[in-house]
Amino acid sequence: MELTVTVNGRAHRGDVEPRLLLVQFLRDELGLTGTKIGCDTSSCGACTVLLDGESVKSCTLLAVQADGHDLTTIEGLAAGGVMTPVQAAFHEDHGLQCGFCTAGMVIAATSLVAEGLAGDEDAVRRGLEGNLCRCTGYHNIVRAVLDAAGTS
Ligand code: FES
Ligand code: FES
């Protein structure tokens, strides 16, 4: 099937198999391997990307469902090498540990902050419940999101 998407500001057009998952398209076709596959069953959030600004799990969408839409992956956040407020807060607060969950956490946090849904610790924990950290590093992650939102 024909697919036209904008990814990190660049338009892409191509033919894809109807069964191709969005996460596979991003990683295998576009080489954007910052988006990870953790569980492949919609549980862990490692594959989270922004679809028209909203966080979605790219292992639960077919690539063709993104046709005509705008995607942002972790590679597309820092414009000109300057970290976004969320990325800077993760850096400052040591909110990142492994490279596996971090991209999905940062993307999910970006959407939470942009939507004004990071008002307090409970809201952030609720907002990030679809993103799992296997080493329980949640404390600093939550602090980073609150700092980025200016609600700490
Ligand atoms: S790989 Fe998509 S939610 Fe885990
Ligand atoms: S820091 Fe990535 S799984 Fe815990």
Side-chain angles (χ1 to χ4, degrees), residues 12 25-26 28 46 67 79 84 112 139 142 144 147-148:
H12 297 271
F25 173 73
L26 293 170
D28 302 339
D67 185 45
T84 65
L112 264 192
H139 183 69
V142 171
D147 279 350

Side-chain angles (χ1 to χ4, degrees), residues 71-82:
L71 293 163
T72 304
T73 68
I74 191 71
E75 290 91 343
L77 286 189
V82 179

Side-chain angles (χ1 to χ4, degrees), residues 95-102 105 132-137 141:
L96 47 136
Q97 295 178 65
C98 82
F100 224 79
C101 67
T102 299
M105 288 282 187
L132 303 181
C133 166
R134 295 155 184 81
C135 30
T136 66
I141 291 169

Side-chain angles (χ1 to χ4, degrees), residues 23-24 27-28 35-40 44 46-47 59 100 134:
V23 68
Q24 293 168 329
R27 289 177 53 85
D28 302 339
T35 302
K36 302 289 187 274
I37 300 173
C39 63
D40 219 359
C44 76
C47 64
C59 74
F100 224 79
R134 295 155 184 81

Side-chain angles (χ1 to χ4, degrees), residues 105 108-109 112 123-132 141-142 145:
M105 288 282 187
L112 264 192
V124 172
R125 288 186 182 274
R126 245 193 337 273
L128 291 181
E129 67 188 8
N131 290 74
L132 303 181
I141 291 169
V142 171
V145 180

